[in-house]
Amino acid sequence: MAIIRTANTEDLQQISKVVTAAFNQANEARLVEALYQSTAFVPALSLVAEEEKQAIGHILFTKINIENQRGDCHESLALAPVSVLPELQGKGIGGQLIKKGIEASRLEGFDSIVVLGHDTYYPRFGFEPASKWNIQAPFPVENKYFMAMELVPEALQNVQGTVIYPNEFSQV
């Protein structure tokens, strides 16, 4: 079983290798590196899975806003990306990272998380279509792939609008 811990800046090179391998291209790794330098970055919400002191997985949660038509914003988190070395995928490491990340997000005082991902994977962790709360992605996507979860009961009850991602998401 992998050790899950908070990442630090010394881990960034290993994290980049893991993310690049997991996605078979460097764009997601460049996103992680850019988010590390952004105001959306929350150091406690960058987690590494490691075995024998080597990074084998990574997950990142960054601050986003959900903006309604009046321009009111509700702060939330985006889960993106979650990465596991290809040869270790399907062994539960991603799930460990997600569970630990959700708990760390609660401990950091956040009340909700948004994710764009597989509709058969993320619901097992408590994610539901964001459309349940009238929350939309800022780009066209089927409802079943754009999900949210409340970390605090009814945290999204009076929240609706469009997710505003940090600029770094559109730069890679």
Side-chain angles (χ1 to χ4, degrees):
M1 186 176 250
I3 295 169
I4 309 293
R5 64 169 176 78
T6 305
N8 56 55
T9 52
E10 292 80 42
D11 294 317
L12 199 51
Q13 188 174 7
Q14 280 192 45
I15 290 168
S16 291
K17 288 179 183 176
V18 169
V19 176
T20 298
F23 288 92
N24 200 28
Q25 48 94 7
N27 283 354
E28 297 286 335
R30 284 195 289 273
L31 173 62
V32 170
E33 291 167 8
L35 287 169
Y36 256 64
Q37 305 304 316
S38 77
T39 58
F41 181 64
V42 182
L45 301 180
S46 176
L47 305 178
V48 170
E50 68 178 16
E51 288 181 349
E52 299 175 13
K53 303 215 185 276
Q54 290 296 310
I56 59 168
H58 176 256
I59 194 167
L60 183 62
F61 297 80
T62 50
K63 292 185 274 187
I64 58 165
N65 282 306
I66 302 167
E67 185 176 351
N68 68 19
Q69 290 180 335
R70 294 186 309 273
D72 300 326
C73 288
H74 177 86
E75 189 175 65
S76 185
L77 291 171
L79 185 174
V82 60
S83 311
V84 176
L85 290 174
E87 62 271 19
L88 298 174
Q89 291 175 5
K91 297 185 183 301
I93 297 164
Q96 282 182 268
L97 284 163
I98 292 168
K99 288 174 187 171
K100 288 276 192 178
I102 289 169
E103 186 55 35
S105 298
R106 270 193 193 95
L107 292 173
E108 287 295 307
F110 290 93
D111 64 14
S112 60
I113 302 171
V114 171
V115 68
L116 174 64
H118 295 286
D119 63 322
T120 58
Y121 183 68
Y122 288 97
R124 70 180 76 166
F125 303 102
F127 287 93
E128 301 176 73
S131 58
K132 170 182 176 178
W133 297 281
N134 293 314
I135 297 170
Q136 298 88 34
F139 41 76
V141 63
E142 280 188 67
N143 284 341
K144 67 181 182 176
Y145 299 117
F146 194 69
M147 296 167 267
M149 76 178 304
E150 296 175 316
L151 299 174
V152 174
E154 300 183 6
L156 295 174
Q157 184 175 359
N158 297 312
V159 176
Q160 61 181 343
T162 302
V163 169
I164 308 298
Y165 286 98
N167 290 334
E168 288 76 10
F169 277 88
S170 61
Q171 294 173 0
V172 293

